[in-house]
Amino acid sequence: MQQEYTISAIATPLGEGGIGIIRISGSTAIEIAENIFKPYNAKKNVLSFEERSAIFGHVIDESGNIVDEAICIIMKAPHSYTCEDVVELQCHGGSMVMQEILSLTYRMGARPAERGEFTKRAFLNGRLDLSQAQAVMDVIQSKTKASLRVAAGHLNGQFSKKIEILRNEILNLIAHLEVSIDYPEEDIESIVLDEAREKVDSIIDEVQSMIDSAATGIILREGLQTAIIGRPNAGKSSLMNRLLGQERAIVTDIPGTTRDSIEEYANIGGVPLRLADTAGIRTTDDVVEKIGVEKAYSYAKESSLVMAVFDGSCSLQPEDEELFKLLADCTGHIIIIINKGDLDQKLDDNYIREKINISGLGNITEIVNISANTGAGVESLEKSIKKLVYGSNSEGQEREFVNDARQKDILLKTIDLLKETRLTLAIGMSEDFVVIDLRSAWEKLGEITGQYLSEDIIDHIFKNFCLGK
Ligand code: GDP
């Protein structure tokens, strides 16, 4: 189905590049291409080319002036990304030339595409379900191979298939119960109800294991917010550099956060850690440093993982004691790191253990000895982080992990509905009531793939996309 308006947008990042792509989708897309693109083979016009062929030629403005040299690719409905007529113009990737061609498409009647509108049209036209559509952005934003595995599993429909299998199990159970409603012979009824109890229990287990996978899937998609804290000179920056490693670091500007610093992603065995350098924890009268310390405090408190670094070559300092107070306020997991293992050790591990017990720091995962300088012990630190993130979820199974809070929330609500079904069965209500409960669970699950969703939720999901996707 073609939407009312033809849309266009720049589909490649703005800046200078070898090529840049302008994408046009909608019922007048080919007509627009006809007006602004002149094939090199002047005897032919755009319409006369076979669909999905690449045509070399020039982009021209209303006066016939050449704007750029380009390749025009035509994909006719429904064989395109959006299932509408789509034209992609591959031009030179300069921001001026791209803007110029984009405004030409507007002058020919296209309107600017909203964020994610191409993918939204693909969803509305049934080419992708909602979980697949969400995965398009996840593939683009993947930071590690494991993150990509989650995203790819969602995009290729592996995850949706799992949801469909669950929904079919519920539907089969409904059908089974409905037969018994139609033929109410008592002995059959009790057998059917016994089977239904067993089946509902097994579906609850399956949904629960999907919910369990969310803890890992969401981190692989969003990154694990991690703070490295400790007193000045404990070795925080050295540890950060060690974890980042040259080729593993991805620097991003995270907009909208209160911090104006750059966050960096470290790839820890496939787990993306969102690291921010924090100021050394100490009491200071220096105004600027004070702000830095306060930021470090609030960052640590908000982080899901805190790495508290101590200098193993010195005995505990008053600032380290400060750190224990801060750790008591942290809600995330804490790993205690005793650094500078290559030097003579003066720090007493047992004292630290005692201190942890006294302060009631229940969320400390473990104490790890490392040397940020030589790298000794860093591998076991990485293993601890990985263990923390994966828990009982298996590496390699990421394609089926739940990977966002919306999906997890739907599954939690589904479990509640299935537990209600279980209760209805337990108190001996008739099959009709069991069927009503099961139908609600079946519909709820359908929200993951987008079968039962209001327009504003759908709009909200696509608003998080980038322009041109
Ligand atoms: P920060 O202030 O906590 O960020 O500490 P830095 O990473 O800047 O390190 C402070 C000093 O400790 C520097 O001179 C580092 O070279 C040194 N340092 C850091 N880690 C180690 C280590 O594992 N072994 C040794 N010998 N020195 C280290």
Side-chain angles (χ1 to χ4, degrees):
M1 188 185 68
Q2 309 248 19
Q3 301 287 316
E4 196 181 339
Y5 290 103
T6 295
I7 50 172
S8 69
I10 298 172
T12 40
L14 276 185
E16 291 177 9
I19 57 167
I21 298 176
I22 287 170
R23 185 189 251 169
I24 315 166
S25 177
S27 55
T28 61
I30 297 174
E31 191 186 313
I32 292 174
E34 179 75 15
N35 287 330
I36 67 170
F37 184 79
K38 206 167 160 208
Y40 193 68
N41 179 350
K43 288 192 200 105
K44 285 190 159 190
N45 61 20
V46 170
L47 286 171
S48 64
F49 282 89
E50 276 178 40
E51 69 168 299
R52 279 189 278 184
S53 51
I55 316 159
F56 176 61
H58 291 114
V59 177
I60 46 159
D61 66 15
E62 295 91 331
S63 319
N65 296 319
I66 291 176
V67 182
D68 192 16
E69 206 172 62
I71 287 178
C72 173
I73 296 172
I74 293 181
M75 290 158 272
K76 287 192 184 144
H79 305 293
S80 72
Y81 184 66
T82 56
C83 294
E84 302 176 331
D85 285 344
V86 168
V87 173
E88 282 182 11
L89 287 169
Q90 297 186 357
C91 333
H92 288 110
S95 57
M96 193 63 229
V97 65
M98 302 283 284
Q99 293 291 353
E100 193 54 30
I101 298 172
L102 184 65
S103 53
L104 248 180
T105 67
Y106 296 162
R107 296 204 291 277
M108 295 298 156
R111 74 144 167 78
E114 288 164 14
R115 286 178 172 273
E117 197 171 2
F118 293 97
T119 310
K120 185 177 167 188
R121 288 184 177 197
F123 164 67
L124 293 174
N125 288 329
R127 199 180 90 77
L128 299 170
D129 69 37
L130 194 60
S131 135
Q132 289 177 302
Q134 281 182 277
V136 170
M137 273 317 282
D138 299 343
V139 166
I140 293 171
Q141 293 173 341
S142 289
K143 302 286 183 295
T144 69
K145 282 187 188 169
S147 314
L148 185 57
R149 280 200 289 276
V150 186
H154 283 239
L155 183 62
N156 74 19
Q158 198 165 330
F159 176 78
S160 311
K161 197 162 173 207
K162 208 168 167 192
I163 298 291
E164 263 336 284
I165 290 172
L166 272 177
R167 293 187 81 216
N168 278 338
E169 285 178 31
I170 297 176
L171 211 55
N172 287 340
L173 186 54
I174 292 174
H176 210 55
L177 286 163
E178 276 173 347
V179 169
S180 121
I181 294 169
D182 292 341
Y183 303 97
E185 292 149 44
E186 249 187 61
D187 44 345
I188 294 182
E189 189 183 333
S190 85
I191 295 169
V192 169
L193 289 176
D194 278 346
E195 282 174 359
R197 262 178 223 114
E198 255 177 56
K199 193 70 208 168
V200 171
D201 283 346
S202 98
I203 297 174
I204 287 178
D205 288 347
E206 286 175 66
V207 176
Q208 186 58 51
S209 83
M210 291 190 83
I211 293 171
D212 295 342
S213 75
T216 311
I218 292 174
I219 291 172
L220 293 179
R221 175 169 168 268
E222 296 176 358
L224 182 67
Q225 185 172 328
T226 306
I228 302 179
I229 56 168
R231 68 173 169 81
N233 276 336
K236 297 179 299 299
S237 304
S238 307
L239 173 61
M240 179 144 168
N241 290 341
R242 171 68 58 182
L243 292 176
L244 288 172
Q246 261 307 310
E247 78 285 6
R248 302 188 304 182
I250 303 165
V251 180
T252 56
D253 239 332
I254 307 263
T257 55
T258 45
R259 298 178 52 87
D260 40 17
S261 67
I262 301 275
E263 288 198 19
E264 298 188 49
Y265 280 87
N267 179 351
I268 305 298
V271 176
L273 291 197
R274 277 164 50 197
L275 288 171
D277 210 356
T278 63
I281 300 292
R282 65 166 170 179
T283 313
T284 170
D285 289 331
D286 181 291
V287 182
V288 177
E289 191 181 359
K290 216 171 184 167
I291 295 172
V293 172
E294 275 162 18
K295 272 192 173 179
Y297 266 75
S298 63
Y299 194 80
K301 283 181 200 164
E302 284 164 15
S303 287
S304 308
L305 173 64
V306 173
M307 295 196 225
V309 185
F310 293 85
D311 181 344
S313 69
C314 317
S315 53
L316 274 195
Q317 308 289 308
E319 294 99 331
D320 292 322
E321 303 282 352
E322 277 293 305
L323 187 57
F324 279 113
K325 282 191 211 144
L326 164 61
L327 291 180
D329 288 338
C330 291
T331 48
H333 294 282
I334 299 167
I335 297 181
I336 300 277
I337 293 169
I338 302 181
N339 188 30
K340 308 199 186 179
D342 52 308
L343 302 177
D344 272 352
Q345 295 297 285
K346 301 224 173 70
L347 190 64
D348 183 359
D349 285 21
N350 287 330
Y351 178 73
I352 291 203
R353 273 173 229 281
E354 218 172 89
K355 191 84 202 161
I356 292 167
N357 284 337
I358 295 167
S359 316
L361 297 171
N363 38 359
I364 293 212
T365 315
E366 54 193 302
I367 301 180
V368 186
N369 293 78
I370 65 156
S371 164
N373 269 17
T374 67
V378 173
E379 202 175 312
S380 79
L381 170 64
E382 294 188 347
K383 273 194 190 137
S384 307
I385 296 171
K386 213 164 155 182
K387 201 167 98 199
L388 192 74
V389 171
Y390 272 84
S392 58
N393 296 315
S394 311
E395 198 178 351
Q397 300 294 312
E398 293 91 344
R399 287 179 169 80
E400 293 185 351
F401 286 179
V402 172
N403 75 346
D404 85 347
R406 188 189 76 90
Q407 294 167 348
K408 182 181 170 190
D409 185 54
I410 293 170
L411 290 169
L412 285 169
K413 287 183 178 138
T414 305
I415 282 244
D416 286 345
L417 291 165
L418 290 168
K419 284 185 179 157
E420 269 172 40
T421 315
R422 193 70 184 77
L423 196 67
T424 310
L425 280 161
I427 57 177
M429 304 275 283
S430 83
E431 287 96 330
D432 302 76
F433 292 98
V434 182
V435 166
I436 291 171
D437 287 345
L438 283 172
R439 227 169 244 295
S440 311
W442 179 78
E443 282 180 11
K444 184 50 76 187
L445 266 183
E447 289 181 14
I448 290 186
T449 39
Q451 268 97 337
Y452 298 93
L453 267 189
S454 64
E455 210 169 302
D456 47 337
I457 295 182
I458 292 171
D459 283 347
H460 178 76
I461 290 170
F462 288 101
K463 287 240 155 62
N464 293 324
F465 272 55
C466 48
L467 276 170
K469 193 62 238 176

